[in-house]
Amino acid sequence: TVGTQTDYRDGEAQTDPYSPDYVVLGGSFHELLTLAALTWGRGLPAGLAEVEMIERAREKRAWEATLPAVNDASQIMKRRKMMDAMERKEWAFREQEIEKLQEVRLQVLKKLLQKWQENQNELDTKRLDDHRQNLQKTKEEKLKKIQHDYALMLRKLIAKRTNVMGKLERRDIIKEYTDHSSQTCAPLSRIGFFPDNHSERYVVKNFYLNTFAGLCELEASLPDSVTQVNIKAPEPKYAASGYIRRSARLEVELAQVHQALLEKKNKIEEPKKPIRVFEEAEKPVPRPPTPILEKISIEEEEKELAVICLQKLLRGRAIQNMMFAGKEKRLDLIRELRTTHALQEDKQLLLEAEKQMTLALQQHHELQMHKLSSVEKHLAREEGRVLANIFDFLSKELVRLQEERKIHAFVMLAERQRRMREAEESGRRQVEERQRQEEDEIFRQAREGECSIDSYLEDIILSSMENTAEEQAREEIQRMAVEINDIAYEMESRRTRLQSEEIVAELVYNFLIPEAEKMSVREKGKE
């Protein structure tokens, strides 16, 4: 009777639906009470599985209602057969549930294997990318070093080429002061000069610029023409009489030239008029005569070549003498440089040894990686061979089990036919013996004279009752045989679709994994 309004939804304010208490009257039955075990989140709200469970419970209750009473001794066999049929049906349903559960587990296993394969592929790709980046970085560093060495050697060669002959040049002071990249304007610090040291010496310190009083005094010393602006009107360039002053003549001439250029640029070319009469063409200026080089004789040419060769020899000999004199003069310095070069050679040998060691380590690492990859390939090949043998064995076992089931079904059918024939033969033999006994009894009674109408009718009724009971029993046996035959065919048809897969799943679960573990343990022991 009280209405409330809230900012929250029912799903946020209430966790589980409310289940009120209930009272069951004696002798009454409610179908909803069979679902009391279901709770919210565990079966509720009901899905497809719960609906199937409810339908099976209804079918089972209907089947229990059709069962014969327990205290009826004549219906015990019928009750037992019905219970056996229901038990087989329940076992078949249970097998279907186990098959579905195994299918779900197989799907989960496939997803896990696929996810592991994807992670492994990503890891391999990442390793390859890292290795490629490292190699690319090493390559770039080597190229950068080669380019730096190339530029350095090129500068050295250019510096050597400027003075090939080794001539001594006089210092050009004017050139040094005009070239802003010379040692005079921009000395190098590696020579020993540091221009930034003691830079505070060159800072301008002035009283008039650094203090307010100095600025005021400097402003007071300035003339009035600096602080007070005096604007004058511009004077005309042209006089009233048309006379142009000398200072404005240049501007006028420039304006005239500019105007003439614009007119020439914007002038439209007139079409050429056709020639009406022949006009005399001007003769070109005659060209000067071509100078002729006097032919030098072979003897003079050979003399000139000999003189040039002699000059080269003399110059080369003079350079050799100069180099020898310089070497003798700076012999101590050359020895010192050779000693330093020997030390550098030792460092180079150490670097070469480190390089060889690094190469040896790289080769060893590559060899280890090759061995590891070969071992992985062998393991993969062995795993494939083992799995192929296992699957081959399982397929053969499946075929064998199918053939065994078929043979078993044929044996059951043959056994049933044999029993039916034996029953028919025993029934026929019993009928013949009974007829023979009846005929003997009739003959004996007729001979003894003790036969009466009542006893005769009683015998006829009894014989008819026995025949009727025998026929009913035979019909019941035939009907049961047909039912058993239908059940056998139904089980056979159902087995080919469901039980075969169940057999495969049980073999994989109960045989494949333990067999693989055993084989891996044996291989480890052999290794």
Side-chain angles (χ1 to χ4, degrees), residues 420-432:
M420 289 175 64
R421 289 178 181 177
E422 287 180 355
E424 290 177 357
E425 187 67 26
S426 61
R428 192 180 300 109
R429 192 178 298 109
Q430 289 176 3
V431 170
E432 291 177 356

Side-chain angles (χ1 to χ4, degrees), residues 318-429:
I319 292 170
Q320 286 180 359
N321 291 332
M322 289 171 62
M323 290 177 65
F324 184 74
K327 186 190 76 169
E328 293 295 333
K329 185 177 179 180
R330 295 175 178 82
L331 189 59
D332 296 334
L333 182 59
I334 291 171
R335 290 175 180 173
E336 184 179 355
L337 289 174
R338 285 180 177 175
T339 306
T340 306
H341 186 67
L343 294 175
Q344 291 179 357
E345 287 182 352
D346 294 339
K347 290 183 180 178
Q348 291 178 358
L349 290 174
L350 290 174
L351 292 174
E352 188 68 24
E354 290 180 358
K355 182 179 179 180
Q356 294 295 333
M357 187 180 296
T358 306
L359 292 174
L361 290 174
Q362 289 180 356
Q363 292 179 358
H364 181 68
H365 179 68
E366 291 177 357
L367 182 61
Q368 292 294 332
M369 293 297 292
H370 179 69
K371 288 182 179 179
L372 183 60
S373 63
S374 62
V375 170
E376 289 179 354
K377 289 180 181 178
H378 288 304
L379 289 175
R381 184 168 63 253
E382 292 297 326
E383 289 176 359
R385 183 177 60 79
V386 171
L387 289 175
N389 293 333
I390 290 172
F391 284 129
D392 184 29
F393 176 75
L394 291 176
S395 63
K396 291 179 180 178
E397 284 293 321
L398 179 60
V399 173
R400 187 183 64 80
L401 287 174
Q402 291 177 354
E403 296 295 332
E404 186 178 353
R405 291 292 181 88
K406 289 181 181 179
I407 293 169
H408 182 66
F410 288 144
V411 169
M412 290 180 63
L413 291 174
E415 186 69 20
R416 184 172 63 82
Q417 291 179 1
R418 183 181 65 80
R419 290 179 180 177
M420 289 175 64
R421 289 178 181 177
E422 287 180 355
E424 290 177 357
E425 187 67 26
S426 61
R428 192 180 300 109
R429 192 178 298 109

Side-chain angles (χ1 to χ4, degrees), residues 260-278:
L261 291 173
L262 289 177
E263 290 177 358
K264 187 176 181 181
K265 184 178 180 181
N266 298 327
K267 184 178 179 182
I268 300 173
E269 296 181 358
E270 296 180 358
K272 294 182 180 181
K273 296 179 181 180
I275 300 173
R276 296 182 181 180
V277 295
F278 292 99

Side-chain angles (χ1 to χ4, degrees), residues 53-105:
M53 182 187 69
I54 292 169
E55 292 296 331
R56 287 198 307 273
R58 288 178 178 176
E59 291 178 0
K60 190 171 183 180
R61 286 195 297 271
W63 173 78
E64 288 177 353
T66 58
L67 280 175
V70 182
N71 53 5
D72 190 359
S74 61
Q75 301 293 331
I76 290 176
M77 294 300 295
K78 183 178 179 181
R79 180 182 178 87
R80 186 178 297 171
K81 291 176 182 179
M82 291 177 68
M83 292 179 68
D84 292 340
M86 179 55 68
E87 186 176 1
R88 285 193 297 271
K89 188 176 180 181
E90 289 180 355
W91 274 110
F93 176 73
R94 179 59 180 165
E95 289 173 356
Q96 291 180 0
E97 287 185 345
I98 293 172
E99 183 182 358
K100 291 179 181 179
L101 183 60
Q102 290 176 351
E103 188 71 24
V104 171
R105 289 180 179 176

